[in-house]
Amino acid sequence: MQIHPHSESNQSHNRREQGLEKLLSRLVRRIRRDELVRETTNQLREMLQVDRVVLYYFYGQWEGQVTFESLSSEEFSILGSTGPDDCFNDEYAALYLAGRVKAIADIELESMESCHRDFLRSLHVRANLVVPIVIPRGLWGLLIAHHCQGPHNWSQSNMEMMQTAAQTLATDRNILES
């Protein structure tokens, strides 16, 4: 039996090549997902005429953060923000998992938990519209429109537009695999 010194080297090279191919494939999927989300949030912000549209992604059991945003002005940025620990729980998650759409025209007039109102105030939100992004394995995230400068009346077509965008995101292969 002969030992071929190049054989081990070739196997190592092939493993590195396969690893790089997988990494490149993941990177391409992420870029495609990011571009879809960016286009979607920008279009929604313009069509809804709001200050901010964000994507809130759940990375754990009802723990998440704002991973994308489209802004009318940089002063409204909340990128990286996380939700209040004690407000979003299994009860709210179940509602969104079932397709809940929540439209609040004015947080100061809406009946809600004080922790939720305080959280929205801390983000300078005056009105919001929230729709779930549901994928086969569960609640992936929330697509949220915020108006910060005053109350905002949400029409049925506004809600349908957000739902359609959330469904488009939920069926995108790059999101399903993330």
Side-chain angles (χ1 to χ4, degrees):
M1 182 167 136
Q2 283 188 319
I3 297 177
H4 299 281
H6 289 65
S7 175
E8 255 183 58
S9 176
N10 285 341
Q11 288 176 349
S12 177
H13 178 74
N14 288 343
R15 281 194 300 271
R16 274 195 311 269
E17 233 177 61
Q18 288 173 345
L20 287 173
E21 286 175 11
K22 286 181 183 178
L23 182 63
L24 183 58
S25 177
R26 276 186 280 175
L27 182 60
V28 167
R29 279 196 310 270
R30 184 173 181 179
I31 289 169
R32 286 181 181 153
R33 180 198 68 204
D34 292 357
E35 187 56 32
L36 173 65
V37 172
R38 190 175 352 277
E39 287 176 15
T40 301
T41 56
N42 284 339
Q43 288 174 358
L44 285 169
R45 183 183 50 77
E46 291 171 11
M47 293 170 75
L48 297 171
Q49 297 180 354
V50 294
D51 297 310
R52 175 172 57 216
V53 173
V54 302
L55 179 71
Y56 187 86
Y57 168 69
F58 290 108
Y59 53 78
Q61 184 67 25
W62 317 138
E63 295 176 16
Q65 73 180 81
V66 173
T67 56
F68 282 91
E69 63 183 10
S70 175
L71 308 169
S72 63
S73 172
E74 286 300 315
E75 72 183 282
F76 297 122
S77 179
I78 60 170
L79 189 63
S81 295
T82 59
D85 295 334
D86 53 346
C87 276
F88 198 88
N89 55 34
D90 290 336
E91 180 183 336
Y92 285 112
L95 292 170
Y96 284 113
L97 191 54
R100 174 190 196 181
V101 172
K102 182 68 175 174
I104 300 174
D106 187 343
I107 68 161
E108 300 304 332
L109 302 176
E110 184 78 11
S111 173
M112 67 175 72
E113 297 288 328
S114 61
C115 68
H116 188 206
R117 187 182 331 276
D118 292 342
F119 174 68
L120 291 174
R121 283 179 183 149
S122 77
L123 301 177
H124 306 288
V125 173
R126 187 66 189 266
N128 77 342
L129 174 58
V130 183
V131 298
I133 300 173
V134 180
I135 62 173
R137 59 178 194 259
L139 184 59
W140 186 87
L142 301 171
L143 187 59
I144 308 168
H146 288 156
H147 199 61
C148 303
Q149 300 179 59
H152 188 86
N153 291 317
W154 306 102
S155 68
Q156 185 63 36
S157 66
N158 292 160
M159 291 181 240
E160 290 168 1
M161 190 183 318
M162 286 279 284
Q163 286 177 299
T164 299
Q167 289 166 354
T168 299
L169 293 173
T171 58
D172 182 75
R173 178 179 152 247
N174 301 303
I175 285 180
L176 291 169
E177 293 175 359
S178 65

